[in-house]
Amino acid sequence: MPTLRFQALKETLNRKPVKIEEPARRSEIFSSNVFNETVMRQFLTKEAFENVTEAMRTGKKIDRNVADHISTGMKEWAISKGVTHYTHWFQPLTGTTAEKHDSFFEPLSEGLAIEKFGGSQLVQQEPDASSFPSGGIRNTFEARGYTAWDPTSPAFIWGTTLCIPTIFVSYTGEALDNKTPLLRALQAVDNAATNVAKYFDKNVKKVNATLGWEQEYFLIDSALVASRPDITLTGRTLLGHSPAKGQQLDDHYFGSIPSRAIAFMMDLEIECMKLGIPVKTRHNEVAPNQFELAPIFEEANLAVDHNSLIMDVMKKVGERHNLSVLMHEKPFAGINGSGKHNNWSLATDTGTNLLSPGSTPMKNLQFLTFFINTIKAVYDNEELLRACIASASNDHRLGANEAPPAIISVFIGSQLTKVLDELEKVTDGKLSPQEKTDLKLNVVGKIPEILRDNTDRNRTSSFAFTGNKFEFRAVGSLANCANAMTVLNSIVAKQLKDFKVEVDKLIKDKKMKKDDAIFNVLREYIKKSKKIRFEGDGYGEAWEKEAEKRGLSNNRTTPQALKAQVSKKTIALYKELEVMNQTEVEARHEIELEEYAMRIQIEGRILGDIARNHVIPTAVRYQNILIENVRGLKEIYTDDFTRHAKEQLELIEGISAHIASINSNVNAMIEARKIANKLEEAEEKAFAYCDDVKPYFEEIRYHCDKLELLIDDELWPLAKYRELLFTR
């Protein structure tokens, strides 16, 4: 009997939910471990407080002398809460977070010591950058990297460490992280959106991009995960036969949350409250043992930081509950994968959501302006949007079960489609009084009424309008939101800049009134971007053929999708907006290609190891049992034994055939890997792993899964799907 699997099952079945003591009111602990405005008023001088808040609002640099006052206040607050260390918390291009802890402790002469944390330590640190991905930005002798404080994202306490959110740049100044380009993109969309918003409200001085992410994940007992080398090392199952019951009865979705899962969620939410992460929603997702949590909308930079932080917190809280949190986009074949829907909008400093209709035609014209410009931005940059959510793990999810396809499209619903159809008919040039009346009364004026009962019902659209925001659903659950948010805010910023130039030109050259000019430009955008809109209820071959007719891309694999990252168009876009220079763009492309190849390489090695060291030996062991059985039947029945041993002989032959196929395919995969490893160019290697190595995975898996069905259950060494998905 394979003791590890059954020992894990026994351990799992004996688990009890961890008891969690919830506070009477969560609002009382919210942000208790965050250096927010309330805390700053208590621990900072008036000058220091005003400097920080101004830096948060406008991005103004903080004077080094003032930084000393801020660091002193921050240190005193942290020590009062039992903190002993501090760290610059940053997001390198590994997709995770990074930190190097330093103690406040500093020795003096004559055996004395003090707790010290100065302004220079707050504002800038110098962690070694040599082992972080750089894509060729730095040489070995320029291994230094610099972290610099981002005051727009408040410091927080995790454990006994004060964490200071920072950007991470190279010795030569290029961004080595996900936060720096995001901050630049947010600045670009702020400038562009503010200029357009002034058409409708002169009082607008700032526009913030907002983000509400939804994090899907699986909870699997840690003992069961430990019995699966593939989950342990890759985050997903590389083999495993689907159980008789999966998600087909829809009995898990929004159902009663299992007791261990709810205990985990309560514990997690308490930690989130302390860290100022406004988690609001929790529920069962579609697949067995799959769940989701979602917060209230926040400013995009802070929301990205909070998502990066919560992914780390979830794993640590999971350990307390003996649960492994799987965030891989497709940990199990045949059932729903996990996404991270990014709900995005734009909000003014005057309190207006620019993607929410209002009570007047003017407010609705403002809504239409930002709504149509966003659709146009997606149409013009659909390949770049596809590239920003590309990864080896997300490739498994896109187009499978209820996930969005690899083709980027926009879903707005039939009612808003009719509105755009009406606007498309607007006369070229100045509007007649009758047209203005019709637009105000019959089209623009009725938008709030239209949207009231017109919620999005297409759950598989990659980019959908859902009432007062756009939902970018193709983002993977394992991804850092910063990548998608950098691209989305950049393309919208570029589009709004172009829109303002066109409108101003009509006002100046054609002497048009502002509304006439706006309608004329919007009409052309509706016509040009019509191909990106898809109102179908589902996706498949029919949609792929239709998308091809429309000229939309269908980049199914990551190496193919990533080409858009380094196109002349993309480089020009980032250069114009000052989001990234060419070196930074090309470095990121190189890093993502290298990561793709390495992930497929790791999966190939693990699959070969499991197939040869777990599956085949187990199959041979069971085959020997069958052979002994046949020998016994032969001794009893002599010449007539084949009639009595027919099924056993067929099983022996079937097992032999599967073993032979596994072995030959593993050998062929290894040879393909050797060839790919000799390739020096990152793109060439990524394509080799994608096209020449990865195809063997399914063939090897097929034969391993067939053996799982044939071999005695008590001999099978790996936890099965039914155990992973239904043992709670």
Side-chain angles (χ1 to χ4, degrees), residues 44 107 163 189 230 253 282 317 342 416 472 546 602 674:
L44 298 185
C163 301
V189 82
D230 48 357
Y253 191 49
R282 66 188 184 201
V317 171
N342 278 207
L416 278 171
F472 191 13
E546 175 62 24
I602 291 167
K674 286 179 181 177

Side-chain angles (χ1 to χ4, degrees), residues 650-664:
E650 287 178 357
L651 267 173
I652 291 168
E653 289 177 12
I655 289 170
S656 292
H658 288 304
I659 289 173
S661 293
I662 291 169
N663 206 42
S664 63

Side-chain angles (χ1 to χ4, degrees), residues 35 37 40-63 66-67 69-70 149 151:
F35 195 66
E37 284 196 23
M40 285 192 283
R41 287 182 185 277
Q42 295 175 349
F43 285 86
L44 298 185
T45 63
K46 183 180 179 182
E47 181 189 9
F49 174 76
E50 289 175 350
N51 265 261
V52 175
T53 52
E54 189 176 359
M56 291 170 67
R57 284 195 304 269
T58 66
K60 182 181 176 182
K61 288 186 178 180
I62 294 174
D63 183 83
V66 177
H69 293 294
I70 297 168
W149 177 35

Side-chain angles (χ1 to χ4, degrees), residues 287-395:
N289 274 350
Q290 186 186 33
F291 307 93
E292 181 182 297
L293 64 86
I296 296 167
F297 276 59
E298 297 180 285
E299 184 275 325
N301 177 44
L302 182 58
V304 168
D305 279 1
H306 278 167
N307 183 252
S308 297
L309 175 59
I310 204 172
M311 290 170 76
D312 188 35
V313 174
M314 287 171 78
K315 291 176 183 176
K316 291 176 180 176
V317 171
E319 289 171 6
R320 301 204 285 252
H321 295 256
N322 295 302
L323 291 168
S324 289
V325 182
L326 305 186
M327 292 185 209
H328 192 288
E329 283 81 358
K330 198 74 172 176
F332 303 100
I335 62 173
N336 276 21
S338 298
K340 187 179 341 229
H341 297 182
N342 278 207
N343 295 278
W344 171 88
S345 192
L346 296 170
T348 69
D349 58 346
T350 58
T352 299
N353 179 348
L354 295 172
L355 286 172
S356 181
S359 56
T360 67
M362 179 57 75
K363 288 181 179 177
N364 291 330
L365 179 56
Q366 175 178 268
F367 156 72
L368 285 169
T369 295
F370 286 91
F371 176 69
I372 294 167
N373 270 283
T374 301
I375 295 172
K376 175 70 162 45
V378 173
Y379 172 68
D380 287 342
N381 300 276
E382 45 98 6
E383 286 198 275
L384 182 56
L385 271 180
R386 167 67 181 95
C388 79
I389 48 95
S391 68
S393 53
N394 207 22
D395 278 0

Side-chain angles (χ1 to χ4, degrees), residues 111 281 295 340 343 440 630:
T281 304
K340 187 179 341 229
N343 295 278
K440 287 182 179 180
V630 171

